[in-house]
Amino acid sequence: MPEFIFISQAEGSIHINSDFNFSIFLSEFCDDTPISYGVKLAGISWGIDIFKINKNFKNKFQEYISNSSNGISPYAKKFYYESIRPLAEPEYVIIAFIKAHDQIPKNYISLVKDLLSLSLKEYNSSKTNDFRKCLENALRKLDPLLSSSVDIYLNYDLYDSYGQGKIGESDRNKRKCRFCGKTIEDGVKFSNKAHIIPEAFGNKKFICNEECDNCNHFFGENIETHLIKYFDFFRVFSQTKGKEGPLKIHFDNNNILSNRNIVNIPTDESSSNNMIYIVNKTASKTDSIDINNLSIPFKIKNIVEQNIYKSIIKMGINFLPPQYLSYFSETIKWLLGQKQSTELPLGFRRNNFSPSSPEPSLGLFIRSNDNFNLPFLIVSFHFYFTTFFLIAPFCSQDRRTFITPQEIEDTKNILKPILDDNYDIISLNSLNPIEYIINLNLKHTPKKQ
Ligand SMILES: [Zn+2]
């Protein structure tokens, strides 16, 4: 269960238990994209998200916690009321969200509170706007042996998609497409919901307002299909639902994979949710299967790797805070096919075979200084076992092209704490359609007596 710690700019901290509905909080109280900082303290990695709370926060928050149906205990309600009341205008709240760690020891929370209080004390007394520096100083004080992951947030602001809703201008008449630059006056429409992470990965609510129907159609037809096909096998295993419910995917060698019962195998209710079905259209009933050693290939044809690259960078442009958009005009031309290249930056692919979350997520690493050895924008896309970390090409803020291993050496060192050891350096330059084959090897393990 996640833990939340609220710290008001004025003083003190409020510890919110996991009964708090975080996504409601985000949509109701926050105007802006949170800024995330990666932290490794006492050997445990987690993240702090800084939210700018909107004006109505105090009233709305009190209203929210007094609503009897939200499951907050009367004791906790009293506690929240008393902690919120002394907040001065304008209110500012820092929320530490300890991500993806349900194994965090109880006493660790007090260490986190110390860290945040220390950072905040310096933040308030120095009147600086640089929370990252204060956090770094506090980390040094608390944990002199702290890990190299500090380097990431010394050089980058981290934005992640967790809990995000709609990005960009809400008034349709004022919208300008991030890709073609056109508005309603120029004749484009904004009628379709532009999903930032394609709907095929189960994303319903992470939407970009600033993508016109033409561009949405173009990316959907030409680019994103390659990313979706690349992950088809894992989409079934992650129990992702498509637009029309459970998935049933036909691979190019007559094997069908589905997370719905397509062959009428009776299952009991409790197990049916986690079943995967494999059907081969050409196999006959008399074919014998060696159940002790079964290898099933799934073939996917016509994947253009550069389109996987484009899909991920395109999501990054959708999610990018607007002040940075002008740095990416050449990148956008490339996404739209108006600029061609097969000399693109190298990237990283991490494989984590014990996925912490099957949910797709998107992350932006935006360089916060003039260290030109590092790329300005790295976009990460995570789904199931795989996370890509890709450099946005053609950014006006870059002096390097990152097309050789030497050129990405510094980037690799910075990302190392996130990459662990399970990563490959990859090139997604190719424009030639290729064929992927995933072999599913099944081994029968007899039960121990
Ligand atoms: Zn457009």
Side-chain angles (χ1 to χ4, degrees), residues 327-380:
Y327 302 157
F328 294 94
S329 49
E330 293 299 305
T331 316
I332 288 167
K333 279 187 193 163
W334 168 68
L335 291 175
L336 291 170
Q338 296 160 2
K339 178 187 181 93
Q340 269 87 31
S341 177
T342 49
E343 294 222 310
L344 298 168
L346 297 173
F348 306 91
R349 181 180 49 212
R350 187 190 63 183
N351 297 311
N352 181 351
F353 293 106
S354 54
S356 53
S357 161
E359 301 284 311
S361 66
L362 185 70
L364 300 185
F365 298 68
I366 301 175
R367 201 182 62 216
S368 54
N369 57 26
D370 286 338
N371 181 354
F372 293 108
N373 293 328
L374 299 171
F376 183 77
L377 175 65
I378 303 169
V379 181
S380 72

Short mmCIF file of all heavy atoms in Angstrom, two decimals, residues 327-380:
data_model
loop_
_atom_site.label_atom_id
_atom_site.label_comp_id
_atom_site.label_asym_id
_atom_site.label_seq_id
_atom_site.Cartn_x
_atom_site.Cartn_y
_atom_site.Cartn_z
N TYR A 327 11.60 23.79 -28.24
CA TYR A 327 12.91 23.14 -28.47
C TYR A 327 12.81 21.94 -29.40
O TYR A 327 13.80 21.38 -29.80
CB TYR A 327 13.51 22.64 -27.15
CG TYR A 327 13.73 23.68 -26.06
CD1 TYR A 327 13.80 23.28 -24.73
CD2 TYR A 327 13.87 25.03 -26.37
CE1 TYR A 327 14.02 24.21 -23.72
CE2 TYR A 327 14.08 25.97 -25.37
CZ TYR A 327 14.14 25.55 -24.04
OH TYR A 327 14.35 26.47 -23.05
N PHE A 328 11.58 21.55 -29.71
CA PHE A 328 11.41 20.25 -30.38
C PHE A 328 10.76 20.37 -31.76
O PHE A 328 10.15 19.42 -32.24
CB PHE A 328 10.60 19.30 -29.48
CG PHE A 328 11.36 18.93 -28.23
CD1 PHE A 328 11.16 19.63 -27.06
CD2 PHE A 328 12.30 17.92 -28.25
CE1 PHE A 328 11.88 19.32 -25.91
CE2 PHE A 328 13.03 17.60 -27.11
CZ PHE A 328 12.82 18.30 -25.94
N SER A 329 10.92 21.53 -32.42
CA SER A 329 10.26 21.66 -33.72
C SER A 329 10.82 20.67 -34.75
O SER A 329 10.07 20.11 -35.56
CB SER A 329 10.34 23.10 -34.22
OG SER A 329 11.65 23.56 -34.12
N GLU A 330 12.13 20.42 -34.71
CA GLU A 330 12.72 19.45 -35.65
C GLU A 330 12.30 18.02 -35.30
O GLU A 330 12.08 17.18 -36.17
CB GLU A 330 14.25 19.55 -35.64
CG GLU A 330 14.79 20.87 -36.20
CD GLU A 330 14.40 21.08 -37.66
OE1 GLU A 330 14.70 20.19 -38.48
OE2 GLU A 330 13.78 22.12 -37.98
N THR A 331 12.20 17.77 -33.98
CA THR A 331 11.76 16.45 -33.51
C THR A 331 10.36 16.15 -34.04
O THR A 331 10.05 15.05 -34.49
CB THR A 331 11.72 16.43 -31.96
OG1 THR A 331 12.89 17.07 -31.47
CG2 THR A 331 11.61 15.02 -31.42
N ILE A 332 9.51 17.18 -33.99
CA ILE A 332 8.13 17.01 -34.42
C ILE A 332 8.05 16.77 -35.94
O ILE A 332 7.28 15.92 -36.40
CB ILE A 332 7.28 18.23 -33.96
CG1 ILE A 332 7.09 18.14 -32.44
CG2 ILE A 332 5.95 18.29 -34.68
CD1 ILE A 332 6.56 19.38 -31.78
N LYS A 333 8.92 17.46 -36.70
CA LYS A 333 8.97 17.20 -38.15
C LYS A 333 9.31 15.74 -38.41
O LYS A 333 8.75 15.09 -39.29
CB LYS A 333 10.05 18.09 -38.81
CG LYS A 333 9.61 19.50 -39.09
CD LYS A 333 10.69 20.22 -39.88
CE LYS A 333 10.43 21.72 -39.89
NZ LYS A 333 11.64 22.47 -40.29
N TRP A 334 10.26 15.24 -37.63
CA TRP A 334 10.65 13.82 -37.76
C TRP A 334 9.47 12.90 -37.42
O TRP A 334 9.19 11.94 -38.14
CB TRP A 334 11.85 13.57 -36.85
CG TRP A 334 12.22 12.13 -36.64
CD1 TRP A 334 12.74 11.27 -37.56
CD2 TRP A 334 12.11 11.38 -35.41
NE1 TRP A 334 12.96 10.03 -36.98
CE2 TRP A 334 12.58 10.08 -35.66
CE3 TRP A 334 11.66 11.69 -34.12
CZ2 TRP A 334 12.62 9.09 -34.69
CZ3 TRP A 334 11.70 10.71 -33.15
CH2 TRP A 334 12.17 9.43 -33.42
N LEU A 335 8.74 13.23 -36.37
CA LEU A 335 7.59 12.40 -35.98
C LEU A 335 6.55 12.36 -37.09
O LEU A 335 5.91 11.34 -37.34
CB LEU A 335 6.95 12.94 -34.69
CG LEU A 335 7.76 12.80 -33.41
CD1 LEU A 335 7.04 13.49 -32.25
CD2 LEU A 335 8.00 11.33 -33.08
N LEU A 336 6.38 13.52 -37.76
CA LEU A 336 5.36 13.62 -38.81
C LEU A 336 5.85 13.11 -40.17
O LEU A 336 5.12 13.18 -41.16
CB LEU A 336 4.90 15.07 -38.95
CG LEU A 336 4.08 15.64 -37.77
CD1 LEU A 336 3.89 17.14 -37.92
CD2 LEU A 336 2.72 14.94 -37.66
N GLY A 337 7.10 12.62 -40.22
CA GLY A 337 7.63 12.09 -41.47
C GLY A 337 8.11 13.17 -42.43
O GLY A 337 8.36 12.91 -43.60
N GLN A 338 8.26 14.42 -41.92
CA GLN A 338 8.74 15.51 -42.79
C GLN A 338 10.25 15.62 -42.76
O GLN A 338 10.84 16.48 -43.40
CB GLN A 338 8.12 16.84 -42.34
CG GLN A 338 6.61 16.87 -42.49
CD GLN A 338 5.95 17.93 -41.63
OE1 GLN A 338 6.62 18.69 -40.94
NE2 GLN A 338 4.62 17.98 -41.66
N LYS A 339 10.87 14.79 -41.96
CA LYS A 339 12.33 14.79 -41.84
C LYS A 339 12.73 13.34 -41.64
O LYS A 339 12.13 12.64 -40.82
CB LYS A 339 12.69 15.62 -40.60
CG LYS A 339 14.15 15.72 -40.28
CD LYS A 339 14.31 16.44 -38.92
CE LYS A 339 15.76 16.59 -38.55
NZ LYS A 339 16.34 17.87 -38.98
N GLN A 340 13.72 12.87 -42.46
CA GLN A 340 14.11 11.47 -42.35
C GLN A 340 15.53 11.35 -41.82
O GLN A 340 16.37 12.20 -42.10
CB GLN A 340 14.04 10.76 -43.71
CG GLN A 340 12.71 10.11 -44.00
CD GLN A 340 11.72 11.07 -44.63
OE1 GLN A 340 12.13 11.96 -45.34
NE2 GLN A 340 10.44 10.88 -44.38
N SER A 341 15.77 10.30 -41.05
CA SER A 341 17.13 10.03 -40.61
C SER A 341 17.24 8.58 -40.19
O SER A 341 16.30 8.00 -39.66
CB SER A 341 17.50 10.94 -39.44
OG SER A 341 18.80 10.59 -39.00
N THR A 342 18.41 7.99 -40.44
CA THR A 342 18.68 6.68 -39.85
C THR A 342 19.90 6.78 -38.95
O THR A 342 20.53 5.80 -38.62
CB THR A 342 18.90 5.59 -40.92
OG1 THR A 342 19.85 6.09 -41.86
CG2 THR A 342 17.62 5.21 -41.62
N GLU A 343 20.23 8.02 -38.56
CA GLU A 343 21.30 8.22 -37.59
C GLU A 343 20.71 8.86 -36.36
O GLU A 343 20.76 10.08 -36.18
CB GLU A 343 22.40 9.09 -38.18
CG GLU A 343 23.13 8.44 -39.33
CD GLU A 343 24.63 8.68 -39.26
OE1 GLU A 343 25.00 9.86 -39.10
OE2 GLU A 343 25.40 7.70 -39.35
N LEU A 344 20.12 8.03 -35.53
CA LEU A 344 19.40 8.53 -34.36
C LEU A 344 20.14 8.09 -33.09
O LEU A 344 20.93 7.15 -33.12
CB LEU A 344 17.98 7.96 -34.35
CG LEU A 344 17.12 8.37 -35.55
CD1 LEU A 344 15.85 7.53 -35.60
CD2 LEU A 344 16.77 9.85 -35.50
N PRO A 345 19.88 8.78 -31.99
CA PRO A 345 20.56 8.41 -30.74
C PRO A 345 20.32 6.95 -30.34
O PRO A 345 19.28 6.37 -30.66
CB PRO A 345 19.92 9.34 -29.71
CG PRO A 345 19.39 10.49 -30.47
CD PRO A 345 18.99 9.94 -31.81
N LEU A 346 21.29 6.40 -29.65
CA LEU A 346 21.10 5.08 -29.04
C LEU A 346 20.17 5.25 -27.84
O LEU A 346 19.97 6.35 -27.35
CB LEU A 346 22.44 4.51 -28.59
CG LEU A 346 23.46 4.25 -29.69
CD1 LEU A 346 24.81 3.85 -29.08
CD2 LEU A 346 22.97 3.17 -30.65
N GLY A 347 19.62 4.14 -27.40
CA GLY A 347 18.74 4.19 -26.22
C GLY A 347 19.00 3.00 -25.32
O GLY A 347 19.95 2.22 -25.54
N PHE A 348 18.15 2.85 -24.32
CA PHE A 348 18.31 1.74 -23.37
C PHE A 348 16.99 0.99 -23.24
O PHE A 348 15.92 1.59 -23.26
CB PHE A 348 18.69 2.27 -21.98
CG PHE A 348 19.90 3.15 -22.00
CD1 PHE A 348 19.78 4.53 -22.16
CD2 PHE A 348 21.18 2.61 -21.88
CE1 PHE A 348 20.90 5.35 -22.20
CE2 PHE A 348 22.30 3.41 -21.91
CZ PHE A 348 22.16 4.79 -22.07
N ARG A 349 17.13 -0.32 -23.12
CA ARG A 349 15.94 -1.12 -22.84
C ARG A 349 16.24 -1.96 -21.60
O ARG A 349 17.20 -2.73 -21.58
CB ARG A 349 15.61 -2.04 -24.01
CG ARG A 349 14.33 -2.89 -23.75
CD ARG A 349 14.01 -3.79 -24.93
NE ARG A 349 15.20 -4.50 -25.34
CZ ARG A 349 15.47 -4.86 -26.60
NH1 ARG A 349 14.63 -4.59 -27.56
NH2 ARG A 349 16.60 -5.48 -26.90
N ARG A 350 15.43 -1.76 -20.58
CA ARG A 350 15.62 -2.53 -19.35
C ARG A 350 14.58 -3.64 -19.27
O ARG A 350 13.41 -3.42 -19.56
CB ARG A 350 15.46 -1.63 -18.12
CG ARG A 350 15.82 -2.35 -16.83
CD ARG A 350 15.44 -1.55 -15.63
NE ARG A 350 13.99 -1.36 -15.57
CZ ARG A 350 13.36 -0.65 -14.65
NH1 ARG A 350 14.05 -0.03 -13.73
NH2 ARG A 350 12.06 -0.54 -14.66
N ASN A 351 15.03 -4.82 -18.91
CA ASN A 351 14.09 -5.93 -18.72
C ASN A 351 14.05 -6.27 -17.25
O ASN A 351 15.08 -6.56 -16.65
CB ASN A 351 14.55 -7.15 -19.52
CG ASN A 351 14.53 -6.84 -21.00
OD1 ASN A 351 13.56 -6.33 -21.53
ND2 ASN A 351 15.64 -7.12 -21.65
N ASN A 352 12.90 -6.20 -16.69
CA ASN A 352 12.74 -6.53 -15.29
C ASN A 352 11.77 -7.70 -15.20
O ASN A 352 10.59 -7.54 -15.48
CB ASN A 352 12.21 -5.31 -14.53
CG ASN A 352 12.05 -5.58 -13.06
OD1 ASN A 352 12.19 -6.73 -12.63
ND2 ASN A 352 11.78 -4.55 -12.30
N PHE A 353 12.29 -8.87 -14.85
CA PHE A 353 11.44 -10.06 -14.95
C PHE A 353 10.56 -10.29 -13.72
O PHE A 353 9.86 -11.26 -13.63
CB PHE A 353 12.28 -11.28 -15.29
CG PHE A 353 12.84 -11.16 -16.69
CD1 PHE A 353 14.17 -10.87 -16.90
CD2 PHE A 353 12.00 -11.26 -17.78
CE1 PHE A 353 14.66 -10.70 -18.19
CE2 PHE A 353 12.47 -11.09 -19.07
CZ PHE A 353 13.81 -10.81 -19.27
N SER A 354 10.59 -9.35 -12.80
CA SER A 354 9.56 -9.40 -11.75
C SER A 354 8.88 -8.04 -11.75
O SER A 354 9.22 -7.17 -10.97
CB SER A 354 10.17 -9.70 -10.39
OG SER A 354 11.19 -8.79 -10.11
N PRO A 355 7.94 -7.84 -12.69
CA PRO A 355 7.38 -6.51 -12.88
C PRO A 355 6.70 -6.00 -11.61
O PRO A 355 5.94 -6.72 -11.00
CB PRO A 355 6.37 -6.68 -14.01
CG PRO A 355 6.08 -8.14 -14.07
CD PRO A 355 7.26 -8.85 -13.53
N SER A 356 7.03 -4.75 -11.24
CA SER A 356 6.42 -4.18 -10.04
C SER A 356 4.98 -3.81 -10.34
O SER A 356 4.11 -3.88 -9.50
CB SER A 356 7.20 -2.96 -9.59
OG SER A 356 7.33 -2.05 -10.65
N SER A 357 4.72 -3.41 -11.58
CA SER A 357 3.37 -3.02 -11.94
C SER A 357 3.13 -3.37 -13.41
O SER A 357 3.95 -3.06 -14.26
CB SER A 357 3.20 -1.52 -11.73
OG SER A 357 2.09 -1.07 -12.46
N PRO A 358 2.02 -4.03 -13.72
CA PRO A 358 1.74 -4.31 -15.12
C PRO A 358 1.20 -3.09 -15.86
O PRO A 358 1.07 -3.09 -17.07
CB PRO A 358 0.67 -5.41 -15.05
CG PRO A 358 0.00 -5.20 -13.75
CD PRO A 358 1.00 -4.57 -12.83
N GLU A 359 0.89 -2.03 -15.12
CA GLU A 359 0.33 -0.82 -15.73
C GLU A 359 1.37 -0.14 -16.62
O GLU A 359 2.55 -0.10 -16.28
CB GLU A 359 -0.05 0.19 -14.63
CG GLU A 359 -1.05 -0.31 -13.64
CD GLU A 359 -2.44 -0.32 -14.21
OE1 GLU A 359 -2.83 0.71 -14.78
OE2 GLU A 359 -3.12 -1.36 -14.11
N PRO A 360 0.94 0.45 -17.74
CA PRO A 360 1.89 1.21 -18.54
C PRO A 360 2.19 2.54 -17.86
O PRO A 360 1.33 3.07 -17.15
CB PRO A 360 1.13 1.45 -19.84
CG PRO A 360 -0.30 1.47 -19.44
CD PRO A 360 -0.43 0.53 -18.27
N SER A 361 3.38 3.03 -18.02
CA SER A 361 3.65 4.38 -17.49
C SER A 361 4.67 5.09 -18.37
O SER A 361 5.44 4.46 -19.08
CB SER A 361 4.12 4.33 -16.04
OG SER A 361 5.37 3.71 -15.96
N LEU A 362 4.61 6.40 -18.29
CA LEU A 362 5.47 7.25 -19.11
C LEU A 362 6.24 8.16 -18.17
O LEU A 362 5.68 8.64 -17.18
CB LEU A 362 4.56 8.09 -20.03
CG LEU A 362 5.23 8.97 -21.06
CD1 LEU A 362 5.87 8.12 -22.15
CD2 LEU A 362 4.21 9.91 -21.69
N GLY A 363 7.51 8.38 -18.46
CA GLY A 363 8.30 9.29 -17.63
C GLY A 363 9.09 10.24 -18.49
O GLY A 363 9.49 9.89 -19.60
N LEU A 364 9.26 11.46 -18.01
CA LEU A 364 10.11 12.42 -18.71
C LEU A 364 11.27 12.79 -17.80
O LEU A 364 11.06 13.07 -16.62
CB LEU A 364 9.34 13.70 -19.05
CG LEU A 364 8.12 13.62 -19.94
CD1 LEU A 364 7.60 15.01 -20.24
CD2 LEU A 364 8.45 12.91 -21.25
N PHE A 365 12.45 12.77 -18.36
CA PHE A 365 13.63 13.29 -17.66
C PHE A 365 14.03 14.55 -18.41
O PHE A 365 14.50 14.46 -19.55
CB PHE A 365 14.80 12.30 -17.73
CG PHE A 365 14.52 10.97 -17.06
CD1 PHE A 365 13.59 10.09 -17.57
CD2 PHE A 365 15.22 10.61 -15.92
CE1 PHE A 365 13.36 8.86 -16.97
CE2 PHE A 365 14.99 9.39 -15.31
CZ PHE A 365 14.06 8.52 -15.83
N ILE A 366 13.79 15.71 -17.81
CA ILE A 366 14.10 16.97 -18.49
C ILE A 366 15.31 17.61 -17.83
O ILE A 366 15.29 17.89 -16.62
CB ILE A 366 12.89 17.92 -18.44
CG1 ILE A 366 11.68 17.25 -19.11
CG2 ILE A 366 13.21 19.25 -19.14
CD1 ILE A 366 10.40 18.06 -19.03
N ARG A 367 16.35 17.79 -18.62
CA ARG A 367 17.61 18.29 -18.06
C ARG A 367 17.41 19.67 -17.44
O ARG A 367 16.77 20.54 -18.04
CB ARG A 367 18.68 18.37 -19.16
CG ARG A 367 20.12 18.38 -18.60
CD ARG A 367 21.14 18.50 -19.72
NE ARG A 367 20.96 19.76 -20.42
CZ ARG A 367 21.12 19.93 -21.73
NH1 ARG A 367 21.45 18.91 -22.49
NH2 ARG A 367 20.93 21.10 -22.29
N SER A 368 17.95 19.85 -16.22
CA SER A 368 17.69 21.09 -15.50
C SER A 368 18.93 21.97 -15.44
O SER A 368 18.98 22.92 -14.67
CB SER A 368 17.21 20.75 -14.08
OG SER A 368 18.15 19.89 -13.46
N ASN A 369 19.95 21.65 -16.25
CA ASN A 369 21.16 22.48 -16.24
C ASN A 369 21.77 22.50 -17.64
O ASN A 369 21.16 22.00 -18.59
CB ASN A 369 22.16 21.94 -15.21
CG ASN A 369 22.51 20.47 -15.50
OD1 ASN A 369 22.44 20.00 -16.64
ND2 ASN A 369 22.88 19.75 -14.46
N ASP A 370 22.98 23.06 -17.76
CA ASP A 370 23.62 23.14 -19.07
C ASP A 370 24.71 22.09 -19.24
O ASP A 370 25.73 22.33 -19.88
CB ASP A 370 24.20 24.54 -19.29
CG ASP A 370 23.11 25.54 -19.58
OD1 ASP A 370 22.02 25.11 -20.02
OD2 ASP A 370 23.33 26.74 -19.35
N ASN A 371 24.51 20.95 -18.66
CA ASN A 371 25.47 19.86 -18.84
C ASN A 371 25.22 19.21 -20.20
O ASN A 371 24.42 18.28 -20.34
CB ASN A 371 25.30 18.85 -17.69
CG ASN A 371 26.29 17.70 -17.80
OD1 ASN A 371 27.02 17.59 -18.78
ND2 ASN A 371 26.29 16.85 -16.79
N PHE A 372 25.94 19.72 -21.22
CA PHE A 372 25.66 19.29 -22.59
C PHE A 372 26.17 17.88 -22.91
O PHE A 372 25.99 17.38 -24.01
CB PHE A 372 26.20 20.31 -23.59
CG PHE A 372 25.47 21.62 -23.54
CD1 PHE A 372 26.09 22.75 -23.00
CD2 PHE A 372 24.16 21.72 -23.98
CE1 PHE A 372 25.41 23.95 -22.92
CE2 PHE A 372 23.47 22.92 -23.91
CZ PHE A 372 24.10 24.04 -23.37
N ASN A 373 26.82 17.25 -21.93
CA ASN A 373 27.18 15.84 -22.13
C ASN A 373 25.96 14.95 -22.03
O ASN A 373 26.00 13.79 -22.42
CB ASN A 373 28.20 15.40 -21.06
CG ASN A 373 29.52 16.11 -21.25
OD1 ASN A 373 29.89 16.43 -22.38
ND2 ASN A 373 30.21 16.37 -20.15
N LEU A 374 24.89 15.51 -21.48
CA LEU A 374 23.66 14.73 -21.28
C LEU A 374 22.57 15.23 -22.22
O LEU A 374 22.50 16.41 -22.52
CB LEU A 374 23.17 14.88 -19.84
CG LEU A 374 24.11 14.40 -18.75
CD1 LEU A 374 23.59 14.80 -17.38
CD2 LEU A 374 24.28 12.89 -18.83
N PRO A 375 21.69 14.33 -22.66
CA PRO A 375 20.59 14.78 -23.52
C PRO A 375 19.58 15.62 -22.74
O PRO A 375 19.40 15.43 -21.53
CB PRO A 375 19.94 13.48 -23.98
CG PRO A 375 20.37 12.44 -23.02
CD PRO A 375 21.66 12.87 -22.41
N PHE A 376 18.93 16.53 -23.44
CA PHE A 376 17.95 17.41 -22.78
C PHE A 376 16.72 16.64 -22.34
O PHE A 376 16.19 16.86 -21.26
CB PHE A 376 17.55 18.56 -23.72
CG PHE A 376 16.61 19.53 -23.05
CD1 PHE A 376 17.09 20.46 -22.15
CD2 PHE A 376 15.24 19.49 -23.30
CE1 PHE A 376 16.23 21.35 -21.50
CE2 PHE A 376 14.37 20.37 -22.67
CZ PHE A 376 14.87 21.30 -21.76
N LEU A 377 16.25 15.74 -23.21
CA LEU A 377 15.02 15.01 -22.86
C LEU A 377 15.20 13.51 -23.07
O LEU A 377 15.57 13.07 -24.16
CB LEU A 377 13.84 15.51 -23.72
CG LEU A 377 12.51 14.75 -23.57
CD1 LEU A 377 11.93 14.91 -22.17
CD2 LEU A 377 11.48 15.22 -24.61
N ILE A 378 14.92 12.77 -22.01
CA ILE A 378 14.86 11.30 -22.11
C ILE A 378 13.42 10.91 -21.79
O ILE A 378 12.85 11.37 -20.80
CB ILE A 378 15.81 10.62 -21.11
CG1 ILE A 378 17.26 11.10 -21.32
CG2 ILE A 378 15.73 9.10 -21.23
CD1 ILE A 378 18.20 10.68 -20.21
N VAL A 379 12.84 10.09 -22.66
CA VAL A 379 11.47 9.64 -22.42
C VAL A 379 11.52 8.17 -22.04
O VAL A 379 12.15 7.37 -22.73
CB VAL A 379 10.60 9.81 -23.69
CG1 VAL A 379 9.16 9.37 -23.42
CG2 VAL A 379 10.62 11.26 -24.17
N SER A 380 10.88 7.82 -20.94
CA SER A 380 10.82 6.40 -20.59
C SER A 380 9.40 5.89 -20.76
O SER A 380 8.44 6.59 -20.45
CB SER A 380 11.30 6.17 -19.16
OG SER A 380 10.35 6.65 -18.23
#
